[in-house]
Amino acid sequence: MSFFGALRDTLLFFLFPFTLPLMLVACYAYPTYVAPPLIAYFAHCIFWSHEKRDGAPFDSFSKNFFLFKKMRRSMQLRLHVPPSLKKGGSSFAKAPDAAFVFAIHPHGVGSDFRALADGMFYDELGIKSWRTLAASILFRLPLIREICLWTHCVDASRPVAERVMKKGHSIMVLPGGEREQLMTEHGKEVSQTRK
């Protein structure tokens, strides 16, 4: 990506999503001033569908965002990675450019842990790049869309997953998905997967 492309994306990501609620209120009061930036944001989302291509990971955000760091500490979030999959492990020594499919469990109600763990993958896993499959609806919600894109998410459709794997990225999958979120009951540990 060129410097100007990166600058454009950064400005669009930071300028619009974080000010969207204020823009909606302002759109009612001053439609001629606020409508053009909102239209530009939504046009960006439609025409530059990063979630349908290669995603738009923002490494510094997923590793260093102050809220993510604080939540990792307060939740005492840990990754349990077999030694063969850690940096320098035997799986990577044999095939350093190989792409893997990782299943992350549980999905459950608190699937936000996936975004928190994303910044930890850099240090824990020996893979060169990865993408996480996420529900299509997440890319229709301002701010949620950006957080998903910045933390390596792409659309969970089969064509996108196949394209990402062909480009050499490993894939993270959270089995259970939305169904598991909706059917979660306190005190019960049940995995919702299709046969």
Side-chain angles (χ1 to χ4, degrees), residues 78-105:
R78 303 274 187 277
L79 293 179
H80 299 281
V81 181
S84 63
L85 294 177
K86 288 190 178 227
K87 280 189 176 178
S90 60
S91 295
F92 300 105
K94 293 176 187 170
D97 293 331
F100 298 88
V101 177
F102 293 95
I104 302 173
H105 181 76

Side-chain angles (χ1 to χ4, degrees), residues 117-130:
D118 189 80
M120 300 168 69
F121 293 151
Y122 292 94
D123 298 328
E124 295 291 328
L125 295 176
I127 55 178
K128 63 177 183 169
S129 65
W130 68 92

Side-chain angles (χ1 to χ4, degrees), residues 29-57:
Y30 306 102
T32 56
Y33 298 111
V34 181
L38 282 177
I39 291 169
Y41 172 73
F42 289 113
H44 170 74
C45 293
I46 292 167
F47 296 115
W48 288 283
S49 299
H50 295 294
E51 69 274 8
K52 300 277 186 197
R53 294 190 207 127
D54 202 28

Side-chain angles (χ1 to χ4, degrees), residues 26-157:
C27 194
Y28 178 75
Y30 306 102
T32 56
Y33 298 111
V34 181
L38 282 177
I39 291 169
Y41 172 73
F42 289 113
H44 170 74
C45 293
I46 292 167
F47 296 115
W48 288 283
S49 299
H50 295 294
E51 69 274 8
K52 300 277 186 197
R53 294 190 207 127
D54 202 28
F58 188 179
D59 301 350
S60 182
F61 175 78
S62 68
K63 286 195 276 190
N64 303 317
F65 183 51
F66 76 96
L67 190 58
F68 285 4
K69 289 171 89 171
K70 185 174 180 131
M71 289 175 73
R72 284 181 202 125
R73 278 194 306 274
S74 69
M75 293 172 66
Q76 298 178 356
L77 190 61
R78 303 274 187 277
L79 293 179
H80 299 281
V81 181
S84 63
L85 294 177
K86 288 190 178 227
K87 280 189 176 178
S90 60
S91 295
F92 300 105
K94 293 176 187 170
D97 293 331
F100 298 88
V101 177
F102 293 95
I104 302 173
H105 181 76
H107 191 288
V109 174
S111 61
D112 51 351
F113 80 90
R114 197 265 338 137
L116 300 177
D118 189 80
M120 300 168 69
F121 293 151
Y122 292 94
D123 298 328
E124 295 291 328
L125 295 176
I127 55 178
K128 63 177 183 169
S129 65
W130 68 92
R131 297 295 181 266
T132 303
L133 302 182
S136 301
I137 188 64
L138 296 175
F139 299 105
R140 303 290 174 260
L141 304 169
L143 184 58
I144 300 297
R145 175 185 190 274
E146 277 63 42
I147 290 172
C148 286
L149 286 171
W150 293 342
T151 58
H152 294 86
C153 288
V154 293
D155 187 70
S157 67

